[in-house]
Structure formats: C-alpha cells, structure tokens
Amino acid sequence: VYRGSKGLVCIVPLATISTKGGTRLGVRKELAPLMQELIKRTEAMGYTLGSNTWGYNCRYVRNGNTPSNHAYGRAIDMNS
C-alpha cells in the first residue's frame, strides 16, 4: 500500500527494472518483462536514459482527480 498526494492510496504489485546507467524504475510486476525490453531496445537505438526517466508514482492525472497510469505502475516516462 502506497500513499500519494491528496489522499490517494495505491495498491500495486511492483517490480524494479533498470537502465544501463543504473536508473531504477518501479513498474507493475506483470509488465516488468515488457517494459525492461522497451528500455533495452530504446538504449540499443542510442538513447541514454537517465534520472529524468521514471515509472511508478502514486498520483492523480495532472489537474484532475483520476489516478494516473503511473499510479497503477502501467506507465514509464523516458527522458521526460
């Protein structure tokens, strides 16, 4: 159980994936192999993924009251 802003409570089975540079991202456990492959292929194309890359975050969609896909561990932002 994770508590986010504005009273949001998230219950997500998390796993951790990593970039070549060691940035660690929390993602939904079932999606971890797929998202790790996405990271691998993105880096193989020459992109460097650093500290401005993240995954799980127990939060609402900006300016709203609907949980973000990040709150479910279903989204990652790469070099945002």
Side-chain angles (χ1 to χ4, degrees):
V1 175
Y2 307 93
R3 297 198 184 281
S5 62
K6 301 179 186 174
L8 179 63
V9 176
C10 304
I11 301 171
V12 180
L14 290 177
T16 302
I17 61 174
S18 300
T19 67
K20 278 185 187 177
T23 299
R24 297 166 48 101
L25 312 169
V27 298
R28 189 169 192 89
K29 191 174 184 178
E30 307 93 299
L31 298 178
L34 177 64
M35 290 188 173
Q36 186 66 66
E37 185 66 21
L38 174 63
I39 294 289
K40 176 182 162 188
R41 290 180 184 217
T42 300
E43 291 176 322
M45 291 188 298
Y47 291 96
T48 300
L49 301 177
S51 61
N52 55 350
T53 299
W54 65 83
Y56 172 79
N57 185 350
C58 185
R59 66 175 175 83
Y60 291 109
V61 172
R62 187 178 306 195
N63 299 322
N65 59 359
T66 303
S68 160
N69 277 318
H70 292 279
Y72 297 106
R74 299 187 298 215
I76 55 177
D77 289 341
M78 296 188 287
N79 288 348
S80 62

